[in-house]
Amino acid sequence: MTPPNFGVLETLVGHTFTREHLLLEAVTHPSHLSIPSTPSYQRLEYLGDTILDYLVTTIIFSCGDPSQQALQPRRMHTLRATAVNASFLVFCSLLYTLSIPIAEIPSPRPNEAPSLIPGTRPISLPDFLRYAPIRTLSSALNATRTRFAALRPAVDIAFAHDHIYPWRAFAAFVPEKVFSDVIEAMLGAVYIDTSGDLKVCEALLRRFGILGWLEMALKIEANIWHPKEELGFLAKNEKVRYLVWIEEMMDKFTFQAGDLVNAGEEKLSFGKGKYW
């Protein structure tokens, strides 16, 4: 992989680095060994994970009156989980893009000289990842992008129209961890480069839509119940047995769930269906 275009990458994250080695480190996978003096993003990812958790927790805790039912401890824990889980972070990192100029060379007609046609293409943070050309890793990254494209309509509807957190769609996403690592590593790099300026870190999370979702969920009291949590609540003291599976059919995912039964093997609920 070639070194990233620093200018475009800085525009994407909304921060101009004074120490560019941090920017390079934040997008360097452990498999990338061409420059031994450049460490991988792992230390920055560790730091960024802590900063993310702190900022999200602070926003949740400081919002409203703790005596309100919307901010009871159970809901606070679930809200934090919606904003820091890997599937959501990866979705945000792929969703936020910049358009960069490109030039295409169409197939020339007979007796015509080739010509360049200007155009643009979207680019996202994971596109800057530097890693060794390992087939298994490349395949996993491509599969994550494919699932993102397939699941995006369902996630868009859940967030924009239904105001329901798409736990089921994210369960089928199963993204490669490196995608969430790189956004946390970038957060850690910004923190160090700004000498610990949390406002700049917060701006980065807002830029990628992470805090935007959280603040919307707090404002409108979005439905954030995890299906397992909700079913456990409905079952009350009954014993619940979960039978869940996912079938992949062509380019789309069909989600199915088996019977949720009590100790007497009597059905409590469920069914099956597609989410778009």
Side-chain angles (χ1 to χ4, degrees):
M1 303 296 293
T2 59
N5 183 319
F6 283 117
V8 176
L9 182 52
E10 287 177 326
T11 300
L12 185 71
V13 301
H15 174 69
T16 301
F17 281 76
T18 58
R19 289 171 278 186
E20 288 192 340
H21 71 276
L22 291 171
L23 189 62
L24 188 65
E25 182 178 337
V27 293
T28 301
H29 187 266
S31 67
H32 194 280
L33 302 176
S34 63
I35 308 178
S37 60
T38 302
S40 75
Y41 59 60
Q42 290 175 310
R43 286 175 59 84
L44 291 176
E45 181 264 331
Y46 171 80
L47 176 62
D49 177 71
T50 302
I51 297 167
L52 171 65
D53 202 51
Y54 172 78
L55 289 173
V56 167
T57 300
T58 300
I59 290 174
I60 294 171
F61 188 81
S62 62
C63 181
D65 183 351
S67 66
Q68 295 177 3
Q69 186 172 352
L71 287 178
Q72 288 299 307
R74 170 183 280 184
R75 184 169 178 84
M76 293 170 73
H77 281 289
T78 307
L79 273 168
R80 182 173 60 186
T82 67
V84 302
N85 72 82
S87 292
F88 177 67
L89 294 179
V90 175
F91 219 88
C92 289
S93 72
L94 291 172
L95 192 61
Y96 180 67
T97 62
L98 290 179
S99 293
I100 61 172
I102 60 171
E104 299 178 334
I105 304 178
S107 300
R109 296 179 180 179
N111 303 320
E112 285 188 3
S115 60
L116 294 177
I117 299 178
T120 62
R121 75 174 179 88
I123 190 168
S124 62
L125 181 59
D127 291 320
F128 292 94
L129 188 67
R130 303 166 68 240
Y131 60 93
I134 304 172
R135 179 176 298 179
T136 53
L137 180 58
S138 297
S139 298
L141 296 178
N142 290 333
T144 295
R145 288 189 171 92
T146 299
R147 289 193 294 272
F148 167 78
L151 292 167
R152 181 176 175 179
V155 174
D156 285 347
I157 291 173
F159 278 138
H161 301 289
D162 298 338
H163 304 307
I164 298 175
Y165 194 81
W167 288 111
R168 293 176 177 85
F170 282 161
F173 189 23
V174 196
E176 188 66 19
K177 184 177 181 295
V178 61
F179 278 101
S180 60
D181 287 346
V182 73
I183 194 169
E184 291 176 336
M186 189 60 66
L187 187 61
V190 168
Y191 180 83
I192 295 176
D193 193 60
T194 60
S195 301
D197 192 334
L198 290 174
K199 289 294 184 183
V200 181
C201 295
E202 184 177 321
L204 172 63
L205 296 179
R206 200 173 300 283
R207 191 178 190 87
F208 281 84
I210 296 167
L211 297 187
W213 148 253
L214 182 62
E215 289 166 346
M216 183 191 75
L218 287 165
K219 182 178 180 180
I220 66 173
E221 298 187 17
N223 183 348
I224 60 171
W225 274 43
H226 190 283
K228 185 176 180 180
E229 181 185 15
E230 186 172 7
L231 287 166
F233 175 80
L234 294 173
K236 300 187 185 301
N237 295 325
E238 298 290 345
K239 183 177 180 180
V240 179
R241 178 167 60 91
Y242 298 93
L243 302 174
V244 182
W245 63 94
I246 299 174
E247 294 181 357
E248 183 176 347
M249 301 176 61
M250 297 180 290
D251 295 331
K252 296 191 176 183
F253 295 88
T254 298
F255 303 86
Q256 298 185 336
D259 300 338
L260 300 176
V261 299
N262 61 20
E265 297 298 308
E266 179 183 351
K267 285 188 179 181
L268 286 176
S269 63
F270 238 100
K272 60 184 179 180
K274 293 185 179 179
Y275 290 93
W276 62 88

